[in-house]
Amino acid sequence: MDIVNQLPLQRYRKVDDLLAFAAIYDDEKREQAYKRLLLRHKKQIQGSVCLEVGCGFGLFSEYLAKLGAKRVYAVEINPTMAAIARERLMPYSQVTVVQSDIRDFLPPEPVQVLVQELYGQMLLDEDLIVLDELRFSPKWVFPNGGRLMAGCSSSRQLCDDVVTPRLLKELDGVLVSGLFDESGLSLELPVLEWRYGKTHLEAIGDITPLDGDVLYLGLQIEHDGRPVCRASVCDNWSYIWTPRCGDHFKLCFKPEMDGCGCTVEFDWV
């Protein structure tokens, strides 16, 4: 879903966020993976004060309430989505929707459980870094980890009449999502690891063991080192592609001016 007409920047961002969440909620595999994770930790959730950061329409806040949370703070920075979440969650008296930047929000009571889905396709390129700036310390974060993984394939197998070898050559040094069919291609080597409380904004990827002249990168969400869901399985995240120009590359994530999300710099080294 894309906006095709010219809008004032502030309105564009608000509506674009709204459409992005609508697309996310179409990803049933991602939703079910998250719900399985929360269900496995039902004992920590029952009777606890919980918080969903970036709650969108409040899907997981609702699920936390159903799992027996004592109280749920559903925090959303976008005012339109916060209003939708407030309307959706009215039947749940233990849920409070808060329209706020999570970095500015100080809960009125200790939070035991924080639920987040702030991952970008390149792991850190959306909002994960805001978890380093919380004004409170949750006891548990679900999920609490993730990896950016790499794989390689052959352009002979991937290229077709549209994405030709000539076109691929022009993409040297460019990271492109959704360029090729991802089916049957596994994520083989870790490039960058994130754990709650431990964020590294630079990484050197070593793909020496891999065969193929096309590099692809993909997100794997984890909790306590156990996979939750990953790119290509969950529709919300695609593989990122680029022609292979060596055995090592450098990734650098630079926080954006507003402090949410990171821009990605990529170079072969």
Side-chain angles (χ1 to χ4, degrees):
M1 289 178 278
D2 296 314
I3 301 169
V4 298
N5 64 316
Q6 188 68 36
L7 295 174
L9 183 59
Q10 185 174 3
R11 176 164 166 73
Y12 174 88
R13 287 178 174 172
K14 182 172 74 172
V15 176
D16 191 50
D17 283 348
L18 185 66
L19 293 176
F21 262 90
I24 287 172
Y25 286 141
D26 279 338
D27 188 350
E28 186 175 346
K29 290 182 179 179
R30 164 197 151 277
E31 176 186 335
Q32 294 306 315
Y34 262 77
K35 286 184 173 179
R36 286 194 298 270
L37 171 66
L38 297 178
L39 185 60
R40 286 201 302 269
H41 295 87
K42 184 177 180 179
K43 289 184 178 179
Q44 288 100 313
I45 293 168
Q46 283 182 321
S48 294
V49 175
C50 302
L51 184 149
E52 183 188 2
V53 54
C55 75
F57 301 157
L59 180 69
F60 297 124
S61 292
E62 179 181 17
Y63 194 59
L64 289 168
K66 289 180 176 179
L67 289 177
K70 173 185 176 183
R71 193 153 22 259
V72 181
Y73 294 97
V75 183
E76 173 55 54
I77 193 172
N78 185 296
T80 303
M81 287 190 288
I84 294 172
R86 192 170 289 114
E87 183 177 333
R88 280 191 72 254
L89 296 169
M90 282 182 62
Y92 300 93
S93 59
Q94 69 269 55
V95 179
T96 300
V97 177
V98 181
Q99 194 263 300
S100 173
D101 186 323
I102 190 61
R103 294 168 296 180
D104 299 329
F105 180 59
L106 183 61
E109 56 189 324
V111 170
Q112 284 82 47
V113 174
L114 182 145
V115 175
Q116 61 86 20
E117 47 176 343
L118 304 177
Y119 300 89
Q121 293 198 110
M122 294 282 289
L123 184 62
L124 298 177
D125 54 318
E126 288 194 9
D127 297 329
L128 266 180
I129 60 170
V130 304
L131 296 180
D132 295 335
E133 301 179 49
L134 299 178
R135 299 178 64 190
F136 58 96
S137 299
K139 186 174 182 179
W140 298 292
V141 173
F142 300 117
N144 61 10
R147 298 173 195 260
L148 184 65
M149 305 286 289
C152 283
S153 188
S154 167
S155 59
R156 290 185 179 182
Q157 296 176 338
L158 296 171
C159 287
D160 53 27
D161 292 339
V162 177
V163 184
T164 62
R166 179 71 179 85
L167 186 153
L168 186 63
K169 185 178 180 181
E170 295 299 320
L171 299 178
D172 177 15
V174 181
L175 301 177
V176 184
S177 66
L179 188 64
F180 295 112
D181 181 8
E182 301 159 359
S183 58
L185 297 176
S186 61
L187 297 169
E188 301 180 66
L189 293 177
V191 172
L192 176 66
E193 182 178 6
W194 173 81
R195 291 288 177 267
Y196 174 65
K198 297 181 180 180
T199 302
H200 303 285
L201 296 177
E202 292 189 2
I204 299 293
D206 181 0
I207 57 171
T208 305
L210 301 181
D211 294 324
D213 59 348
V214 180
L215 168 69
Y216 56 88
L217 302 165
L219 169 69
Q220 178 169 285
I221 294 178
E222 300 177 354
H223 185 76
D224 289 345
R226 178 179 176 180
V228 175
C229 53
R230 65 174 179 85
S232 83
V233 173
C234 297
D235 296 336
N236 190 47
W237 300 287
S238 300
Y239 285 174
I240 308 297
W241 306 82
T242 195
R244 179 176 182 170
C245 299
D247 290 333
H248 300 84
F249 58 87
K250 181 179 181 181
L251 285 173
C252 182
F253 296 87
K254 294 192 174 181
E256 296 178 354
M257 293 295 292
D258 62 2
C260 292
C262 294
T263 57
V264 184
E265 294 184 355
F266 173 87
D267 293 292
W268 291 98
V269 293

